[in-house]
Amino acid sequence: MGLFITFEGPDGSGKTTQIKLLADYLREMGHDVLLTREPGGTPIGDQIRGVLHDIKNVEMTSVSEFLLYSASRAQLVRQVIKPHLARGGTVVSDRFADSSMAYQGYGRQLDLDTIGSTTQFATDGLTPHLTIYLDLPVDVGIRRKQTAHAAQSGELNRLDRQTIDFHHRVRDGYLKMAQAERHRWMVIDAMQAIDDTQRAIRERLETALPEVRKATIR
Ligand code: TYD
């Protein structure tokens, strides 16, 4: 069984940059790294992503939204993630099931137990070995995303049009999850410069990886 690492965090936390830098580092260390993202990561998942992000879909209910994320995830797990892990590879995913717990559970306030059990079904029980959460104050995240949009380098999707309260609930939810499962989560301050954030991730990983290896061999 390989290694499964996920990145979580608000929009504007610099996830994409940090993921690329970490993938380079892991490859240098000899890992066979596969990068993926949610929603999407498969042709079917990419079609679902289109529906989820379409600004015209104002009628989408929270339940439909959650099930669409779960459908994209079910496809990704079986078509991409599990086969790569079975070959002993390392998978790094830009978002995974914790995003649904944070956004649809805590953010949209759907029932957390139902999110948990449906996610178990969708993922066939697959849980990341490590989850790196890039933490950012809500107002900073929103400002960064708006600046990227104004500069035409970022898209504003359906989910960006949320109230400040929603984003606070999402962040609080992430921090609660990280607190509840400390062996899996690493909370990294994303207010730092890009290089410092990456250094912090690598340092934390150096301590965590031997522990993960021991646990997966057992
Ligand atoms: P994306 O454009 O991929 O942005 P980001 O760079 O922030 O990942 O948009 C993903 C959006 O989808 C983001 O606002 C979070 C949201 N999302 C959920 O609400 N639930 C989920 O399960 C997932 C995977 C994402």
Side-chain angles (χ1 to χ4, degrees):
M1 171 78 157
L3 176 66
F4 183 27
I5 300 176
T6 57
F7 273 74
E8 296 287 345
D11 311 326
S13 61
K15 265 189 295 106
T16 313
T17 309
Q18 295 301 334
I19 288 171
K20 283 198 189 115
L21 291 170
L22 185 69
D24 292 345
Y25 172 71
L26 290 169
R27 285 189 179 116
E28 275 165 28
M29 282 169 63
H31 290 246
D32 176 10
V33 179
L34 186 141
L35 287 184
T36 189
R37 70 162 180 187
E38 278 206 355
T42 63
I44 291 172
D46 284 337
Q47 291 176 58
I48 297 174
R49 181 185 178 90
V51 176
L52 280 162
H53 283 191
D54 193 335
I55 220 118
K56 290 197 298 294
N57 286 336
V58 284
E59 287 156 338
M60 190 182 296
T61 69
S62 302
V63 174
S64 307
E65 181 183 273
F66 167 62
L67 292 172
L68 285 168
Y69 281 117
S70 297
S72 168
R73 184 167 301 135
Q75 192 67 31
L76 183 67
V77 164
R78 288 160 183 83
Q79 192 177 341
V80 174
I81 300 180
K82 281 203 164 183
H84 194 73
L85 293 177
R87 289 192 290 271
T90 295
V91 176
V92 180
S93 186
D94 184 346
R95 300 192 179 282
F96 192 61
D98 298 307
S99 280
S100 279
M101 193 53 95
Y103 287 83
Q104 281 66 53
Y106 288 96
R108 301 255 192 248
Q109 298 174 303
L110 292 182
D111 180 65
L112 300 182
D113 289 339
T114 308
I115 300 259
S117 55
T118 310
T119 295
Q120 278 282 111
F121 177 56
T123 59
D124 199 19
L126 181 69
T127 309
H129 296 111
L130 292 172
T131 297
I132 299 164
Y133 173 57
L134 299 181
D135 186 40
L136 204 61
V138 168
D139 54 329
V140 179
I142 290 172
R143 233 178 298 130
R144 283 194 191 174
K145 185 94 185 183
Q146 281 168 347
T147 311
H149 178 63
Q152 299 298 317
S153 59
E155 46 155 359
L156 274 188
N157 63 52
R158 206 177 46 82
L159 287 121
D160 295 321
R161 304 198 159 179
Q162 295 301 323
T163 63
I164 296 276
D165 283 354
F166 173 86
H167 290 291
H168 277 290
R169 287 198 299 274
V170 170
R171 184 185 187 207
D172 292 348
Y174 270 128
L175 293 173
K176 255 188 219 154
M177 289 190 274
Q179 191 68 29
E181 260 191 290
R182 298 175 80 133
H183 63 283
R184 170 159 79 89
W185 288 75
M186 290 180 201
V187 179
I188 305 278
D189 174 11
M191 285 289 280
Q192 306 173 78
I194 290 175
D195 290 352
D196 294 333
T197 304
Q198 182 62 207
R199 195 169 313 118
I201 292 173
R202 291 180 186 184
E203 276 170 16
R204 300 280 297 275
L205 216 60
E206 261 164 41
T207 329
L209 280 184
E211 290 301 313
V212 171
R213 284 219 180 87
K214 260 192 257 159
T216 48
I217 289 166
R218 227 179 271 142

